Amino acid sequence: MFNVVLVEPEIPPNTGNIGRLCLATRSTLHLVKPLGFSLEDRELRRAGLDYWKEVPVQLWDSLDALRNAQLAGARYFLLTTKSKRPYYEVTFQKDDFLVFGRETKGLPHNLLTANARNCITIPMLGTRSLNLATAVAIVLFEAVRQQHT
Ligand SMILES: C[S@@+](CC[C@H](N)C(=O)[O-])C[C@H]1O[C@@H](n2cnc3c(N)ncnc32)[C@H](O)[C@@H]1O
C-alpha cells in the first residue's frame, strides 16, 4: 500500500520490526545501502520472526537510484525531528514513499534542506528523537488509517 524507505539503517532488530510493519500493511520496504548489517543477520530475522522471508524488500545503492526508478509523480515524505510540520497534517496517498534516516544520524542535512517542503515530523515533548521502528509505526499506520476514512 505504501513504501517505507530506510536510508542506511544500522540496527538489525529495528529493520526486522519494520519489516513486520510493512507486511502488516502490505507495504514495500526499501533499504538504501550501505546497511549496518547483513540481510542474513540473526537478530534481523529474529525481530522479523518467521515473517521476514515474506516481506517485500527492495535494496538500493542510493536514494537517487531509488528515485530514478520510480514514476515521475511519486511522492516522498522525509521524516525528521527538524521539521515543524506534523505528520498528521499530510493527506497521504496510496504508494507514497515514507523516508526515514539512520538511527545515529538521521537523514542528511542537505537532503532535508533540498526537500524542505516534503519534510514532516512527529511532535514530541522531552526527548530528542523516537526509536526508528516506533517512528515508522506511527506514520505508517496514520497513512493506513487515512485510507479508511
Ligand atoms: C533515532 S532517529 C535519528 C536521530 C538523529 N539524531 C536525528 O536527530 O535525526 C532515526 C530516524 O527516525 C525518525 N524519527 C525519529 N523520531 C522522529 C520524530 N519525532 N519525527 C520524525 N521522525 C522521527 C527519523 O526518520 C530519523 O531519521
Side-chain angles (χ1 to χ4, degrees):
M1 189 184 280
F2 292 100
N3 293 280
V4 173
V5 182
L6 304 183
V7 177
E8 302 182 8
E10 297 164 312
I11 302 176
N14 281 341
T15 296
N17 274 304
I18 293 164
R20 287 167 72 180
L21 295 172
C22 288
L23 199 55
T25 57
R26 292 190 188 277
S27 300
T28 299
L29 177 59
H30 300 263
L31 301 177
V32 176
K33 295 188 210 173
L35 311 185
F37 50 84
S38 149
L39 288 179
E40 302 309 314
D41 188 285
R42 208 162 50 92
E43 285 186 73
L44 168 80
R45 288 168 180 274
R46 184 186 294 160
L49 293 178
D50 291 339
Y51 307 124
W52 178 253
K53 54 184 179 297
E54 298 169 41
V55 177
V57 180
Q58 294 190 20
L59 264 182
W60 300 95
D61 285 332
S62 66
L63 192 56
D64 280 347
L66 180 156
R67 293 174 84 153
N68 290 339
Q70 311 308 319
L71 298 174
R75 302 193 329 156
Y76 300 85
F77 293 98
L78 278 56
L79 273 294
T80 173
T81 55
K82 299 179 179 75
S83 169
K84 296 223 179 309
R85 183 184 180 197
Y87 70 99
Y88 45 75
E89 288 187 357
V90 174
T91 301
F92 292 105
Q93 297 173 10
K94 192 173 157 293
D95 298 328
D96 279 349
F97 287 77
L98 309 174
V99 183
F100 297 83
R102 61 199 276 196
E103 287 91 339
T104 50
K105 293 197 173 155
L107 289 167
H109 180 70
N110 59 349
L111 181 70
L112 297 176
T113 50
N115 297 276
R117 288 187 344 154
N118 296 326
C119 288
I120 55 177
T121 196
I122 304 165
M124 300 177 298
L125 300 171
T127 181
R128 280 199 303 274
S129 68
L130 300 173
N131 166 272
L132 174 60
T134 303
V136 172
I138 290 169
V139 180
L140 180 57
F141 275 86
E142 167 60 14
V144 170
R145 185 196 67 79
Q146 290 183 8
Q147 309 313 303
H148 297 289
T149 56

